[in-house]
Amino acid sequence: MIQALRRDASAYAALAAMTSKRLLAYNIWFWLELFVRTLSITVFVYFWRAVYANTNHISSLSLQQTLNYILFAQVLMPMAQFNLLTYFREIIVEGTIAIELLRPVRFQLANYFQSLAAMATLLFMNIPVALIAWLGFGLQLPASGMVWLCFAISLLLGQIALFFFDWALGCVAFYTHEVWGLGVLRYGIAAFFGGALIPLSFMPPLLQRVAEVLPFRLGMAMPLSVLTGVTPLSQTPRLWLIQLAWILGLGLLSQIVFRVAVRKITVFGG
Amino acid sequence: MSFSGYLALYWEFLIQRFKILLEYQVNFLIGVASTFFLQATGLLAIWIVMRQVPLLAGWSFNQILLIYGLVTIASSINQLFADNLWIVGSVYIRTSQFDRFLVRPINPLFHLLADRFNQDGIGNLLIGLLLLIKALVALEIALTPLKLLYLIVAILSGGAIFIGLNLLTAVSAFWVIDSVPVTRAIFETHTFAKYPLSIYGRGITLLMTWLIPYGFTSFYPASYLLGRDVGLLAWGGPLAAVTLLLIGYYAWQFGMRHYSSTGS
């Protein structure tokens, strides 16, 4: 039993490690990404300083709170960017899905660990962004370890929820074989309604309601609200419960959608 | 070949390109729609913020739309007519497709640019024009013949500044093959030009005026149209554009002399 578990764990770990290696393989892209991210941080900081030039609070957030939020959002940007759409398209169009489904691991679980590794690697690669934001732009890091822990749990829960959502969305590729436009759309919606561009509390009520019925805030705005102290620690268990409820719902949805969609499979060869 | 000869040839290339587009209409529509959507979320964010704060460093929402619209049009001109500069290394040189241009009796740079009219720029062009018109109407800027001429020259110069900078950085492909990182690093600085340069510190303003002059694609022409005093810089756009195109073209020719095929 224990041996079987150990064997399984090493199989999933190997798959996850592959994803990390792939992302870290191209040095120049890492530096480019860092440069571009620094640039957009610079623009954001100057923009928000100008916004707050004549006022102390907007939607009850001070300049420092807003800057903290926006800067951390830049570090967490991979949460909005990463998705399974291109991967699903690739394995379907190239026909490798036949092999993927035959592997002696659970397809969704294997993919989950790969997407977790991708997320962790991308966040790890964004640590220099956080350093630049901290040293150059006055990002305030929470001192309490408890805040970091609560944030990490919320981030992990958000990542699981978004994984399930993307799993269901990725199934569109079984029908259309072309998902580029959908990917752009998903990124735009995720960044905006996830609260990566502006804090959700700034939005008019109608847009806030839209953000609430979409899952993207689970991976961005919610963990960020813990990290920036907008949600007090005593309130975080309530946040986790909301995230768990979403995970249950989306997990179920992803299973059902995949089961229906996989019957549509056309392997082109390749 | 004469200028009109090249113009006729470009038209031939364009017709071929549209034939391809007609084959893939859905992709074309998706491309335009997603560009539209991404720009819209960015603008929506600005609108939400400026609903609560009427002025950004003394600039109103509509005035910022004018800046945003101008830079969007300029960048769409680059995207429509010179998008191949992005992939000259990764697609043309790496695969030796570039050698094809060298054996033909036309300018290789012309051939490269004419090879792909990028229809995805249409979405950006439409958004830019919409923003420009909205801003001009809302700000009640009367377009006298002189101002109209100024606007047209400013927009064309803006497009040329984008193309010139991309050309200059794309030349690195002759040495490093994949020039995308170099081009993108410079290109992305145009984000600064989406907002009034006056919100930044002095360093960024100087950078965007004298070194990577994206400021002339948006901030300076907008200032002139709004009657804000920016001195002679209001007229700097065409100068910056011609200078960049000349330097870019010389660099290109220099690079061509050092070109050796990858042989693949």
Side-chain angles (χ1 to χ4, degrees):
Chain A
M1 169 77 181
I2 289 178
Q3 215 158 23
L5 263 179
R6 197 177 284 164
R7 201 180 52 229
D8 275 3
S10 76
Y12 289 118
L15 283 169
M18 245 158 47
T19 310
S20 296
K21 284 181 201 158
R22 190 169 48 76
L23 287 167
L24 288 167
Y26 298 100
N27 228 319
I28 180 79
W29 295 104
F30 166 78
W31 291 107
L32 177 70
E33 207 44 54
L34 179 60
F35 177 78
V36 172
R37 203 50 86 213
T38 309
L39 242 147
S40 66
I41 284 182
T42 313
V43 174
F44 276 131
V45 168
Y46 277 107
F47 175 81
W48 285 102
R49 279 189 194 152
V51 167
Y52 275 92
N54 297 313
T55 173
N56 289 326
H57 285 87
I58 300 174
S59 301
S60 78
L61 289 179
S62 68
L63 172 62
Q64 187 61 52
Q65 280 175 311
T66 303
L67 278 184
N68 266 350
Y69 181 92
I70 296 293
L71 291 173
F72 272 129
Q74 284 297 307
V75 181
L76 289 194
M77 212 50 184
M79 297 297 288
Q81 273 163 341
F82 186 78
N83 70 70
L84 289 163
L85 276 168
T86 39
Y87 171 68
F88 266 58
R89 183 199 156 270
E90 204 180 292
I91 58 172
I92 289 166
V93 171
E94 291 183 1
T96 46
I97 183 158
I99 300 161
E100 295 294 334
L101 288 173
L102 282 174
R103 285 188 210 280
V105 288
R106 275 195 263 166
F107 186 51
Q108 196 182 30
L109 194 63
N111 268 288
Y112 172 71
F113 282 115
Q114 286 183 306
S115 108
L116 182 68
M119 196 68 58
T121 312
L122 289 171
L123 288 177
F124 177 74
M125 284 162 77
N126 261 1
I127 288 178
V129 179
L131 275 175
I132 290 170
W134 180 50
L135 294 170
F137 297 106
L139 171 72
Q140 287 176 345
L141 303 176
S144 142
M146 206 52 198
V147 172
W148 285 103
L149 183 68
C150 291
F151 159 73
I153 294 171
S154 175
L155 187 67
L156 195 67
L157 292 174
Q159 191 263 335
I160 297 173
L162 287 188
F163 170 79
F164 283 140
F165 174 81
D166 281 335
W167 187 267
L169 188 69
C171 290
V172 170
F174 281 105
Y175 298 89
T176 61
H177 306 138
E178 195 39 74
V179 292
W180 180 76
L182 191 65
V184 175
L185 201 68
R186 184 216 171 273
Y187 168 65
I189 294 179
F192 186 78
F193 287 109
L197 300 180
I198 43 170
L200 294 177
S201 59
F202 280 35
M203 293 186 181
L206 177 70
L207 292 178
Q208 282 193 32
R209 210 145 307 139
V210 176
E212 268 165 34
V213 297
L214 291 171
F216 302 110
R217 73 200 161 101
L218 301 168
M220 293 282 296
M222 275 190 174
L224 276 174
S225 75
V226 178
L227 194 59
T228 54
V230 174
T231 301
L233 280 186
S234 58
Q235 288 288 314
T236 42
R238 203 178 66 89
L239 217 66
W240 295 339
L241 279 179
I242 298 174
Q243 288 179 309
L244 276 172
W246 274 89
I247 288 176
L248 276 178
L250 288 171
L252 205 64
L253 179 79
S254 78
Q255 287 283 336
I256 295 169
V257 171
F258 188 79
R259 250 171 233 181
V260 175
V262 82
R263 289 192 204 130
K264 265 276 158 197
I265 195 167
T266 322
V267 171
F268 292 99
Chain B
M1 198 190 286
S2 66
F3 180 70
S4 59
Y6 273 114
L7 216 57
L9 196 58
Y10 194 86
W11 182 246
E12 291 299 323
F13 273 103
L14 204 58
I15 288 174
Q16 295 307 319
R17 184 77 194 150
F18 275 116
K19 282 184 195 157
I20 299 173
L21 284 188
L22 287 177
E23 283 292 311
Y24 301 100
Q25 288 179 9
V26 177
N27 274 1
F28 168 69
L29 287 176
I30 289 174
V32 172
S34 31
T35 318
F36 233 92
F37 179 79
L38 269 189
Q39 291 277 16
T41 54
L43 285 163
L44 202 58
I46 300 176
W47 174 75
I48 289 171
V49 174
M50 297 208 64
R51 238 168 31 111
Q52 319 208 24
V53 182
L55 288 179
L56 193 71
W59 291 68
S60 71
F61 179 59
N62 284 317
Q63 290 176 332
I64 287 178
L65 287 191
L66 180 64
I67 289 184
Y68 209 101
L70 283 171
V71 75
T72 307
I73 297 175
S75 112
S76 78
I77 293 174
N78 172 42
Q79 197 182 3
L80 285 169
F81 300 106
D83 211 49
N84 256 359
L85 289 174
W86 283 97
I87 54 171
V88 58
S90 58
V91 172
Y92 287 90
I93 293 180
R94 174 169 291 156
T95 60
S96 291
Q97 272 193 66
F98 192 73
D99 297 357
R100 189 160 58 94
F101 297 163
L102 298 177
V103 294
R104 295 201 174 157
I106 51 174
N107 186 317
L109 180 58
F110 170 82
H111 200 333
L112 174 75
L113 298 186
D115 219 32
R116 194 169 64 104
F117 167 85
N118 182 5
Q119 71 285 352
D120 288 341
I122 293 174
N124 272 327
L125 179 66
L126 288 176
I127 289 185
L129 285 173
L130 271 175
L131 293 176
L132 179 67
I133 292 166
K134 153 96 172 66
L136 288 175
V137 171
L139 296 164
E140 295 176 355
I141 296 175
L143 278 186
T144 59
L146 181 72
K147 274 198 173 165
L148 186 65
L149 184 69
Y150 178 89
L151 190 62
I152 293 168
V153 172
I155 285 172
L156 292 178
S157 307
I161 288 171
F162 269 94
I163 294 173
L165 285 168
N166 274 15
L167 175 61
L168 200 56
T169 48
V171 169
S172 64
F174 289 116
W175 289 274
V176 298
I177 312 291
D178 192 352
S179 55
V180 171
V182 185
T183 303
R184 185 148 171 240
I186 299 297
F187 174 81
E188 288 292 336
T189 60
H190 86 274
T191 318
F192 286 122
K194 287 181 176 173
Y195 306 99
L197 289 185
S198 39
I199 70 170
Y200 307 111
R202 207 175 144 65
I204 292 173
T205 310
L206 286 175
L207 179 77
M208 286 290 108
T209 308
W210 299 105
L211 208 59
I212 313 175
Y214 282 126
F216 293 111
T217 66
S218 62
F219 176 70
Y220 292 115
S223 299
Y224 174 79
L225 289 171
L226 292 166
R228 288 165 182 260
D229 186 21
V230 284
L232 282 175
L233 289 175
W235 306 92
L239 196 67
V242 171
T243 313
L244 278 174
L245 285 180
L246 279 178
I247 297 176
Y249 191 63
Y250 277 116
W252 168 265
Q253 285 184 319
F254 180 74
M256 288 266 292
R257 279 199 296 276
H258 289 79
Y259 170 67
S260 60
S261 174
T262 54
S264 33

